[in-house]
Amino acid sequence: MKLQKVTVAAAAALMLSLTAAGCSSDGGGDTSSGDKKVTIGIKFDQPGIGLKTPDGKYTGFDVDVATYVAKELGHDPGDIVWKEAKSADRETLLQRGDVDFIAASYSITPKRAEKVDFAGPYLLAHQDVLIRADDDSIKKPEDLNNKKLCSVTGSTSAQNVKTRIAPKAQLQEYGGYSECLTGLENKVIDALTTDNVILAGYAAQPEFKGKFKLGGFKMSNENYGIGVQKGSDLKAQINTALEKMVKDGSWAAAVKKNFGPANFQSGPAPKIGVIVS
């Protein structure tokens, strides 16, 4: 009788361990396994790119691209777990397996490619400036000389302009892009600079509609890619999904939806695997 009790207890323990093993997920596993969940890193604070709204929803071009890719990988929108991927954390999130892939205004660079792999690029962005819609004094990058140029703390965009293009630009440091936009609206500053798609995303917000315009300057090339773990099979699968997204018109629709109100001209989708320097 005692032996039977031990056997039953052992069997119960075995079943419990198997159940726990079957339910475990670290967010960075094989998306083709029985676990339908897929964890995707995005920005939470970039309107038009990746934004977590007050009601807990997620919007933006990167969100639309990631959702399309996830669908092609076999995941419904309800399977997606969104995780914030701050710029400084992206490589770590991938290397630790905290996410399956990242779509977060993630520029492909040689240094980053040493640590992670990239699918894409799926968007070619350029450093640009945002100015007031009624300001005709800034028609070329050199016109930023003697202008008050917003510099977000921790960003090198404005410093690059001052160093390479307009040495007499007056850098004004603010804590974030929203503060820069308020300063721009109130004529405390004259221009804000970062990637054009980020600027377009902010300018497309309802509260700013019609107030700002992009300069149309292409001061750098930023090839946005989808980051995956080094050596991951997901790279090829995601590339296939991105090619389909462009071919069926979903890519162009996502551009219009997220950047259209700012009159942003994206140009054609970049070729997969072609990095524009």
Side-chain angles (χ1 to χ4, degrees), residues 42-53 57-60 62-63 83-87 90 103-105 152-153 175-179 181 198-199 201-202 205:
I42 58 170
K43 290 295 181 67
F44 278 15
D45 59 352
Q46 288 183 344
I49 300 290
L51 180 70
K52 182 178 182 179
T53 61
K57 295 181 180 179
Y58 301 89
T59 65
D62 282 352
V63 174
K83 188 176 184 66
E84 184 173 21
K86 296 181 179 179
S87 295
R90 291 176 296 202
S105 54
V152 175
T153 304
Y177 292 116
S178 296
E179 295 170 48
L181 286 165
I198 296 175
L199 296 174
Y202 277 104
Q205 298 307 292

Side-chain angles (χ1 to χ4, degrees), residues 114-135:
E114 292 176 359
K115 300 178 180 179
V116 302
D117 282 343
F118 286 98
Y122 63 91
L123 187 68
L124 178 61
H126 308 280
Q127 185 178 347
D128 200 353
V129 295
L130 192 70
I131 56 181
R132 287 182 293 277
D134 60 356
D135 187 353

Side-chain angles (χ1 to χ4, degrees), residues 72-94:
E72 293 302 306
L73 294 176
H75 301 282
D76 295 326
D79 299 332
I80 299 173
V81 177
W82 300 108
K83 188 176 184 66
E84 184 173 21
K86 296 181 179 179
S87 295
D89 299 334
R90 291 176 296 202
E91 286 84 39
T92 301
L93 289 172
L94 288 169

Side-chain angles (χ1 to χ4, degrees), residues 61 64 245 248-260:
F61 182 74
D64 290 343
M245 186 179 187
D248 68 16
S250 299
W251 184 90
V255 169
K256 183 177 181 180
K257 169 189 169 185
N258 292 289
F259 307 128

Side-chain angles (χ1 to χ4, degrees), residues 41-251:
I42 58 170
K43 290 295 181 67
F44 278 15
D45 59 352
Q46 288 183 344
I49 300 290
L51 180 70
K52 182 178 182 179
T53 61
D55 59 357
K57 295 181 180 179
Y58 301 89
T59 65
F61 182 74
D62 282 352
V63 174
D64 290 343
V65 170
T67 301
Y68 187 99
V69 168
K71 179 192 69 175
E72 293 302 306
L73 294 176
H75 301 282
D76 295 326
D79 299 332
I80 299 173
V81 177
W82 300 108
K83 188 176 184 66
E84 184 173 21
K86 296 181 179 179
S87 295
D89 299 334
R90 291 176 296 202
E91 286 84 39
T92 301
L93 289 172
L94 288 169
Q95 290 174 327
R96 286 195 316 217
D98 293 339
V99 294
D100 292 296
F101 63 86
I102 289 178
S105 54
Y106 202 1
S107 295
I108 302 171
T109 67
K111 184 175 181 180
R112 290 169 178 166
E114 292 176 359
K115 300 178 180 179
V116 302
D117 282 343
F118 286 98
Y122 63 91
L123 187 68
L124 178 61
H126 308 280
Q127 185 178 347
D128 200 353
V129 295
L130 192 70
I131 56 181
R132 287 182 293 277
D134 60 356
D135 187 353
D136 295 323
S137 66
I138 302 175
K139 297 180 179 179
K140 57 185 184 297
E142 290 76 13
D143 290 337
L144 293 168
N145 279 308
N146 300 312
K147 298 290 187 180
K148 294 179 180 178
L149 182 63
C150 186
S151 174
V152 175
T153 304
S155 171
T156 60
S157 297
Q159 186 61 54
N160 288 341
V161 171
K162 185 175 178 67
T163 301
R164 300 188 296 108
I165 299 170
K168 294 183 180 179
Q170 301 171 27
L171 301 188
Q172 308 290 313
E173 189 171 277
Y174 283 71
Y177 292 116
S178 296
E179 295 170 48
C180 284
L181 286 165
T182 300
L184 185 58
E185 184 178 14
N186 297 332
K187 300 185 178 182
V188 177
I189 61 169
D190 300 305
L192 163 62
T193 185
T194 187
D195 294 355
N196 54 2
V197 291
I198 296 175
L199 296 174
Y202 277 104
Q205 298 307 292
E207 64 268 30
F208 297 128
K209 191 173 181 179
K211 294 182 179 180
F212 306 122
K213 63 182 179 183
L214 291 167
F217 312 147
K218 296 182 178 180
M219 296 183 284
S220 72
N221 293 321
E222 305 295 336
N223 299 269
Y224 285 6
I226 293 181
V228 299
Q229 279 189 348
K230 201 74 174 171
S232 173
D233 292 339
L234 281 179
K235 177 180 176 178
Q237 297 176 50
I238 292 173
N239 278 338
T240 299
L242 292 173
E243 289 172 341
K244 182 178 178 181
M245 186 179 187
V246 172
K247 187 175 182 179
D248 68 16
S250 299
W251 184 90

